[in-house]
Amino acid sequence: MSDPLAVPLDVKLMNLTASVLFMGCVALVVAAGGWWVLRHPAFSIGSLSVQGEFTHNNAVTLRANVAHKLVGNFFTVDLRQVREAFEGVPWVRHAAVRRQFPNQLQITLEEHVPVALWGPESGSGMLNSFGEVFEANVDDVDQDDLPRLYGPAGQSVEVLDMYGRLRPILKQVELDLAELELTPRGGWRATLDSGATIELGSGSVNEVLARTRRLDRKSTRLNSSHT
């Protein structure tokens, strides 16, 4: 027995066709609306809000250096590229970027805090408080207040850590550590502000510190007389 309520096949096809056409129209409207939004001048990037504690930069200069590199509007701009553009500015360690509707980008910056000079005097390398090597104009800092550290590439963190451990030990015998070098063979060489050089040898951190604690001013003067 046939179902008296069954919908004829041609009606089903008409309904399906109507549904497809309706969905297609909706998709076109959405696409057109999206195209309008992406290109409407109201959503062009109107301003860059740059925040942070600056010692070697200022917000005006930072905006001027980066603004011309921005591509797209509020919705299409690549935040990763914006972050990389700011982090490419000297002295900038980290940038956090977020959108602020309707047309502003907010950038929060962290600058490098120099704690040591890194490498030869002819270079522009420095270490920040995390032991990271960065390049900047060394004339922007008071070099007399910073020690000079040396070491193989990739071992700046270890050198800075050793400097932090050795300095208070030498201070106890009234010696001031001016330079510290980790040689390619793993030996440690300390240079005092007097110009005296002390070979601390290689080994574990504790072994090097133990040898340093056995130093006294007399032995250091003898070492200085032979350098």
Side-chain angles (χ1 to χ4, degrees):
M1 181 177 180
S2 61
D3 185 355
L5 299 178
V7 179
L9 179 61
D10 57 344
V11 174
K12 289 182 178 180
L13 292 175
M14 290 178 61
N15 290 339
L16 177 61
T17 301
S19 297
V20 171
L21 290 175
F22 175 77
M23 295 302 297
C25 290
V26 170
L28 288 174
V29 170
V30 171
W35 183 91
W36 178 85
V37 168
L38 293 178
R39 289 161 178 77
H40 196 280
F43 298 107
S44 298
I45 297 175
S47 64
L48 301 175
S49 173
V50 181
Q51 304 170 349
E53 295 184 5
F54 308 124
T55 301
H56 304 283
N57 286 295
N58 63 74
V60 175
T61 302
L62 287 165
R63 283 195 292 266
N65 287 338
V66 175
H68 68 281
K69 300 179 182 179
L70 303 184
V71 178
N73 65 9
F74 177 80
F75 294 102
T76 62
V77 66
D78 189 329
L79 297 187
R80 179 182 59 83
Q81 291 182 352
V82 177
R83 173 177 58 81
E84 292 176 350
F86 275 99
E87 290 179 350
V89 176
W91 289 105
V92 175
R93 177 179 181 264
H94 176 70
V97 184
R98 68 184 183 91
R99 294 179 173 89
Q100 181 67 41
F101 191 82
N103 61 357
Q104 184 183 81
L105 295 181
Q106 289 191 345
I107 301 96
T108 303
L109 301 181
E110 175 191 353
E111 280 194 337
H112 291 285
V113 177
V115 296
L117 304 172
W118 178 256
E121 294 184 8
S122 59
S124 58
M126 285 179 274
L127 294 185
N128 64 22
S129 53
F130 297 93
E132 299 165 341
V133 180
F134 68 98
E135 299 288 331
N137 185 2
V138 295
D139 292 333
D140 291 344
V141 299
D142 188 346
Q143 300 180 45
D144 293 336
D145 292 338
L146 300 177
R148 184 169 293 277
L149 308 181
Y150 304 83
Q155 293 189 264
S156 57
V157 173
E158 289 83 351
V159 179
L160 181 60
D161 177 70
M162 181 64 82
Y163 171 82
R165 294 171 182 266
L166 290 175
R167 190 183 182 202
I169 296 175
L170 294 172
K171 279 284 189 181
Q172 292 177 357
V173 290
E174 300 180 11
L175 300 175
D176 194 11
L177 182 59
E179 297 183 6
L180 181 65
E181 178 181 2
L182 175 60
T183 68
R185 293 187 176 184
W188 293 94
R189 180 180 298 120
T191 301
L192 306 179
D193 61 347
S194 64
T197 300
I198 308 172
E199 298 290 345
L200 298 174
S202 58
S204 68
V205 171
N206 289 335
E207 290 172 340
V208 175
L209 296 180
R211 283 194 291 270
T212 305
R213 291 188 182 97
R214 292 195 291 268
L215 292 172
D216 57 31
R217 291 183 62 81
K218 180 178 179 180
S219 63
T220 305
R221 289 196 189 98
L222 289 174
N223 185 286
S224 176
S225 66
H226 292 292
T227 57

